[in-house]
Amino acid sequence: MCAIIIVTISGYNKVMHMEAESVLSHRSTLDVTNQVDTMDPVSVSFEVAQIYERLYRREFPSSLLRVFADIGRLYRGEFPGYHPCETDYHDVQHILEVTLAMTRLMDGCVQATGTRIMHERLFQLGVVSALFHDIGYLRRLDDHEKKHGAEYTRTHVGRGAEFMSWYLPEVGLEELADPAARIVHFTGYEVPVNDIQIEPQYRMVGNLLGSADILAQMADRYYLEKCHDRLYPEFVLGGIARQIDDQGQEKVIFSSPADLIFKTPGFFAGAHKRLEQDLGGVYRYADSHFKGENLYYAVARRNINYARTIAEMQDVSLLRRKLPDSGFQEAA
């Protein structure tokens, strides 16, 4: 009797352990609300469409549904002429997280200011710009200049602008092509924000997109683990970890994955300044979407506080979450 009970309890514990691992793995693909699967373009497009239809009282455009479908094809390597995504940090989950955050910021903007500031065409522009803001990391099949997408880290924003200039007219969104190609620069550092030449009506969309890019990645549940395991290798390939100054001397920016984590709180200080000053503090529109609490900023702050503890202890073994495989395998 006792032996049977022990076996049963042991088996039960094993099953519970397996279920816990399954739940944790599934949660790794969920957004900050634990409701939307950010590895699945269909799941994110459904959430975006719901917000759009609630705000503007009309059906979500089929052209945007096609864009979501093409994003999936592009990152899987099923789009003609392109390699699949090679950057594990700037992957499809990052793209969809930013798009979801962008949509929620635009929703908060409408709730706070009305549709005069964020009318439906600007909303569509914001969605498209978010979906393609990192498309410049993808390599064409005939690309013999680089061997890995991360090698385009310094120039990926400009490459993304070029992609949208030819792609958007192909799917019936020609009038969005020019502003989207400029708005995408609000997510990068190739052009200072104040130097981006853009009409006033589009600057709000750009500020929201730059803010969504910062908030979404820093509020990711696995943000620190992704920085350690995935972002640092991209920085090495992209020439970010070590740089050559004007005198030809090598300057070490990040000496190791651990060093990147130790310096993350300092990066957040700069990101916060960018949110507040360069991007006009529009990240606060998330307060309106979430009915009073900026969930993205709150989760990001928790991540940074933990990074600060790791930096103080100089111990990256405190990163105990195990990253699931990158790419579409997670959603299978």
Side-chain angles (χ1 to χ4, degrees):
M1 181 72 171
C2 289
I4 294 174
I5 292 175
I6 291 173
V7 170
T8 302
I9 292 175
S10 175
Y12 175 75
N13 287 339
K14 183 176 181 181
V15 170
M16 288 295 291
H17 179 66
M18 292 173 61
E19 289 179 349
E21 287 185 339
S22 176
V23 169
L24 183 59
S25 176
H26 179 59
R27 287 187 67 198
S28 72
T29 72
L30 297 181
D31 75 314
V32 292
T33 70
N34 288 322
Q35 296 177 340
V36 182
D37 186 346
T38 55
M39 282 298 299
D40 180 15
V42 174
S43 179
V44 174
S45 68
F46 180 76
E47 184 72 11
V48 172
Q50 281 193 311
I51 292 174
Y52 178 90
E53 292 174 0
R54 172 172 53 78
L55 290 177
Y56 303 110
R57 307 300 182 189
R58 63 181 64 203
E59 187 175 353
F60 194 60
S62 59
S63 55
L64 291 188
L65 290 175
R66 176 177 173 179
V67 174
F68 272 99
D70 282 347
I71 281 293
R73 296 171 62 212
L74 278 157
Y75 278 79
R76 287 192 298 266
E78 298 171 1
F79 195 88
Y82 281 84
H83 287 284
C85 177
E86 299 165 313
T87 48
D88 289 340
Y89 183 89
H90 292 96
D91 62 354
V92 73
Q93 184 176 21
H94 169 70
I95 294 301
L96 295 175
E97 285 179 338
V98 171
T99 302
L100 186 57
M102 177 63 173
T103 301
R104 288 167 170 165
L105 285 177
M106 291 191 292
D107 175 53
C109 179
V110 172
Q111 293 190 44
T113 66
T115 57
R116 181 181 61 84
I117 299 295
M118 184 58 60
H119 57 73
E120 62 179 304
R121 204 56 174 168
L122 290 182
F123 187 102
Q124 295 172 22
L125 175 62
V127 171
V128 167
S129 301
L131 285 170
F132 289 117
H133 81 278
D134 276 341
I135 203 70
Y137 281 106
L138 269 61
R139 291 189 304 131
R140 292 186 56 86
L141 293 178
D142 60 3
D143 182 357
H144 304 297
E145 179 183 354
K146 308 292 185 183
K147 296 181 179 179
H148 194 282
E151 295 179 60
Y152 285 114
T153 297
R154 292 178 178 274
T155 59
H156 76 278
V157 176
R159 296 180 77 246
E162 293 175 2
F163 178 93
M164 287 188 286
S165 293
W166 75 260
Y167 169 84
L168 293 177
E170 294 291 319
V171 295
L173 296 171
E174 183 173 4
E175 68 178 273
L176 300 185
D178 180 66
R182 286 179 286 159
I183 283 170
V184 73
H185 283 283
F186 283 81
T187 67
Y189 295 85
E190 294 176 27
V191 181
V193 169
N194 292 331
D195 292 344
I196 298 173
Q197 300 299 310
I198 198 164
E199 292 83 350
Q201 63 172 326
Y202 298 134
R203 185 162 292 276
M204 171 62 79
V205 182
N207 285 340
L208 290 169
L209 179 59
S211 301
D213 189 29
I214 293 171
L215 292 178
Q217 62 185 299
M218 300 191 83
D220 186 292
R221 182 175 287 105
Y222 286 76
Y223 172 63
L224 297 179
E225 287 81 4
K226 286 182 177 181
C227 285
H228 186 276
D229 293 358
R230 299 180 181 179
L231 185 58
Y232 179 76
E234 288 186 24
F235 278 175
V236 171
L237 288 171
I240 302 298
R242 297 172 182 268
Q243 302 177 14
I244 305 298
D245 63 22
D246 296 337
Q247 287 72 44
Q249 300 296 314
E250 183 181 65
K251 180 180 180 181
V252 177
I253 308 300
F254 303 110
S255 61
S256 67
D259 189 40
L260 175 58
I261 299 299
F262 299 156
K263 292 176 178 176
T264 294
F267 171 78
F268 179 74
H272 179 75
K273 180 179 179 181
R274 184 175 174 87
L275 287 170
E276 288 284 1
Q277 298 181 13
D278 297 344
L279 301 174
V282 299
Y283 73 96
R284 294 192 183 89
Y285 282 130
D287 297 15
S288 299
H289 173 81
F290 290 117
K291 311 302 181 186
E293 179 188 17
N294 192 323
L295 192 54
Y296 283 106
Y297 194 79
V299 175
R301 285 297 297 266
R302 288 201 294 270
N303 281 338
I304 297 308
N305 287 339
Y306 196 65
R308 191 170 289 112
T309 297
I310 293 172
E312 290 171 355
M313 302 280 291
Q314 293 285 291
D315 184 5
V316 291
S317 71
L318 294 172
L319 292 174
R320 298 194 177 97
R321 286 174 174 163
K322 179 176 173 55
L323 275 174
D325 293 334
S326 63
F328 279 85
Q329 296 90 338
E330 293 182 19

